[in-house]
Amino acid sequence: MINQFVRFFGAFYLLFFFVFSAQAQSRTKVNFGKEWTFSMNSMDWEKVNLPHSVRMENKVIAQQFQGVSYYKKTFHLKPKKNAKTSIYFEGVMLEAKVTLNGKILKTHLGGYLPFSVDISDALSRSGKNELLVEVKNEDNLQVPPGKPLSTLDFNYFGGIYRNVYLITTQKVHITDEIEANKVASGGIYVVWNAVESLKASGNIQVHIANESKKGQTIHFKATLNNAKGGSAVIHSDTKILEAGTAMELKQDFYLDNPLLWSPESPNLYGLSLELYANNKLVDCKEIKIGARKSEIRADGYYLNNEKRYISGTNRHQEYPYVGNTISDEAQRRDAVKIKEAGFDFVRLSHYPQAEAFLNACDELGILVMNCIPGWQYFGDATFQENSYQTLREMVRRDRNHASIVFWENSLNESEMSTPFMVKMNAVLQQELAHSNAFSCGWMDHPSYSFYIPARQHGKAPNYWNDYAKGDRKVFIAEYGDWEYYAQNAGFSQKEFANLKEEERTSRQLRAAGEKRLLQQAFNYQEAANSNRKGKNTMGEANWLMFDYTRGYSPDIESSGISDIFRIPKFAFYFYQSQRAVISLKPEDYTLEIASYWNENSPKVVTVFSNCDEVGLYLNNQLVTTKSVERNKDNDQLNHPPFLFELEKFVPGELKAVGKVNGMEIKTAIVRTAGSAAKIGLEYDLSSVEISKENPDIVFVYAKILDENGTLVTNSNALVTFELDGKNAALIGENPVQAEAGIATILLRTEDLKHPLTIKAMGAGLTPQSLNIH
């Protein structure tokens, strides 16, 4: 047994060494974000690591920064005879001019998609190089989304706000998907021709450039590996690639009994592609792909031959204070929260979002509507041409993601011309060779595969339930927000005739109190229930997942089911309770009492749960047990809320006990809070560890508690945070006032190699310290 292990380990080590060495010789991709300097005026420079925000903004932004800033990096690298060296920028907002050693190499327009700069010929022979990036974050009517910041519903946060990489390949190499600028080509493109439970087929297309001075005989070897240890090897034909030219190699493949990708089982295949020239390995690239069958049929949407009503949300990519500058880990934490909320879908409103976020959607099982930049603006001919090119680049970057099922190639809420819409759809069809590339637009034009109105674009009380254009489908891209500005916008809003406007709206900060947070949750419940009554409605996305800031209004847009610090509101638990559950694992069930249980709490207690029945206890005395009760506001929901009417407020403990098939499965408790006595300190990882090498950012929460550890939800205590440790900083207001009992600050780490200690203090409160390793 020992000898077998030694032989196996030795063979594995040699294989690992060979693959690692081969990759090192053929392609390298290293993070290029450390040891930059930054200036707002090109004179005063400070040391920074990327990603980086031009300026820390206030939580509520009255006037967001716009202007020019500069990033500079000195590095040592000599030109290599047979190598191609590029710098890959994942995202720079909004215009970037890249200069190396005094030579302008590239000017790039657009803040949401990547670009590469070939620096091979500009590298200094001495090896000492200075890279300068001039960044403009100013209004530009010709760069999508085009709308000036002062009238925009989100913010243009400046800076090199996504990752930067240094990529080295040989002269014969797999091209960059975007820089190749080839229709339905460039880089690696995997096309699934047919996907069924017993067999899947497709083809792998690889675009290869020969920048050497000699012709080369080329072929590729592709290996598909699944999570269960299965693998398939695909060899392409051999071709001759002349010097100074590029070509595409294409090879069909077949999989027996494929592991299909879905929100419930997000199976992915690792594709390792090796490129050979004259039988020598010259390039190697790895991506993840998923096999799934996505269809729109006469009766609705189908994934892998199973009909499903899509329930999802919208997401803006910003964090408080730092804007769009968030780490790959933070991107994934957002995706985890969307999944935890019970959603199987996200719309990327209203622009392409980070590659790390899409990777997380692939891995967690979240369907995606990918969107071009746009919001209530339709520009001139140059703007339109830039929009066509933006769509091409977005598709080329994202086409291999299993999670992306819909492409919003429409400028959101913008009065587009018919020729523009027709051409946008023609561009999408050109770029995506497979037949189920579903396009969608907010204008109901037949060139789109289906129509994506916001609920408020329809008329109460039926909105889009009467939409009838044959079998043409509608997807409610936004709902639950604007329609509740009208007194009787929904089916049951007339029952709330005495509500003030600020009480009936869905825009509620977490500090708004129970009555208004419950109203927000009810608005979403009522609208979601109504949406499901539309014969041709195949799905929905609520507005929205997280609160955010916008350019035209100095406040926080608070329609989120979580606040800007990612703390859930009651509506979060409503959606979480809609998850279908087929197991008897307690962690798969939701049971939340939407009450703080104090003297101002509503006497009708709402419990969100996907259990069969719920019993409510007050101070260990059973109030009553209820099974699911249906009415016109919940008759289409998977799991209606449980409502318990209590005669009066009695301080103490409310306990809910959830049962499934008569068996107790979960318990939830809320207690009347006493006086504020101490601080409880925690930070949010959402199952994603802090990066130990690259910049990362996490939320740190100081909870105001009574002596028994109950959250004091009416506390607005002032909390001061202190940090002890290296390579880290606290970002945000400090001291900060608690909102509904929780004070939040951001922790940014640069190079987490040493322990950190955070301390939170407040007048009259026992302080708390937290160690982060």
Side-chain angles (χ1 to χ4, degrees), residues 33 36-40 46-56 69-71 91 157-163 322 324-326 695 748 750:
W36 289 68
T37 55
F38 167 76
S39 176
M40 298 278 281
E46 62 175 300
K47 293 180 179 180
V48 299
N49 289 332
L50 306 181
H52 179 261
S53 301
V54 170
R55 186 178 78 182
M56 295 296 112
S69 56
Y70 303 88
Y71 292 85
F157 294 101
I160 303 179
Y161 73 98
R162 291 182 185 159
N163 298 319
V322 299
N324 295 335
T325 306
I326 60 178
R748 188 177 195 266
E750 295 277 355

Side-chain angles (χ1 to χ4, degrees), residues 30-189:
V30 297
N31 192 303
F32 208 51
K34 292 187 177 182
E35 299 179 346
W36 289 68
T37 55
F38 167 76
S39 176
M40 298 278 281
N41 55 21
S42 74
M43 293 182 292
D44 302 313
W45 297 87
E46 62 175 300
K47 293 180 179 180
V48 299
N49 289 332
L50 306 181
H52 179 261
S53 301
V54 170
R55 186 178 78 182
M56 295 296 112
E57 301 286 355
N58 295 324
K59 181 177 73 172
V60 178
I61 303 174
Q63 188 174 5
Q64 188 232 303
F65 167 81
Q66 287 188 286
V68 181
S69 56
Y70 303 88
Y71 292 85
K72 187 164 59 177
K73 181 178 176 71
T74 300
F75 63 100
H76 191 273
L77 183 65
K78 292 183 179 181
K80 296 180 181 180
K81 182 178 180 182
N82 296 314
K84 176 184 175 72
T85 305
S86 301
I87 301 176
Y88 181 82
F89 294 87
E90 284 191 350
V92 181
M93 187 64 70
L94 181 68
E95 304 175 39
K97 182 168 72 175
V98 182
T99 301
L100 182 63
N101 300 327
K103 180 180 179 181
I104 298 174
L105 300 183
K106 189 162 199 169
T107 298
H108 181 265
L109 302 179
Y112 299 104
L113 289 168
F115 62 95
S116 292
V117 182
D118 185 347
I119 64 171
S120 307
D121 296 334
L123 288 169
S124 168
R125 293 183 180 276
S126 69
K128 185 178 180 180
N129 301 280
E130 184 177 88
L131 179 68
L132 178 68
V133 184
E134 180 184 285
V135 178
K136 284 187 180 180
N137 181 36
E138 299 174 336
D139 294 341
N140 190 325
L141 301 182
Q142 295 180 331
V143 179
K147 193 165 192 178
L149 179 66
S150 61
T151 56
L152 189 67
D153 191 47
F154 46 94
N155 273 304
Y156 297 133
F157 294 101
I160 303 179
Y161 73 98
R162 291 182 185 159
N163 298 319
V164 179
Y165 294 98
L166 184 72
I167 299 175
T168 302
T169 66
Q170 294 192 28
K171 292 291 187 179
V172 181
H173 58 272
I174 303 166
T175 62
D176 177 85
E177 286 80 359
I178 292 177
E179 295 304 312
N181 200 25
K182 299 283 290 185
V183 173
S185 186
I188 301 172
Y189 183 16

Side-chain angles (χ1 to χ4, degrees), residues 240-258:
I240 300 224
L241 181 59
E242 299 295 343
T245 66
M247 69 161 36
E248 186 175 84
L249 290 182
K250 181 176 178 179
Q251 188 63 45
D252 294 337
F253 67 88
Y254 303 89
L255 297 175
D256 291 325
N257 302 309

Side-chain angles (χ1 to χ4, degrees), residues 407-479:
W407 301 85
E408 185 179 337
N409 54 338
S410 165
L411 302 171
N412 184 59
E413 296 184 351
S414 306
E415 293 294 332
M416 301 168 290
S417 68
T418 295
F420 177 81
M421 290 185 284
V422 170
K423 184 165 182 179
M424 286 296 273
N425 280 281
V427 166
L428 186 68
Q429 290 302 320
Q430 289 171 0
E431 292 292 341
L432 290 172
H434 46 80
S435 60
N436 61 346
F438 298 120
S439 68
C440 49
W442 90 277
M443 293 179 70
D444 194 8
H445 191 273
S447 60
Y448 295 112
S449 303
F450 59 96
Y451 179 33
I452 54 167
R455 182 172 158 89
Q456 72 266 14
H457 294 157
K459 293 182 179 180
N462 290 335
Y463 296 99
W464 299 103
N465 293 346
D466 297 332
Y467 181 83
K469 292 190 176 181
D471 292 330
R472 183 169 173 79
K473 296 293 172 280
V474 63
F475 185 101
I476 310 301
E478 300 175 19
Y479 75 91

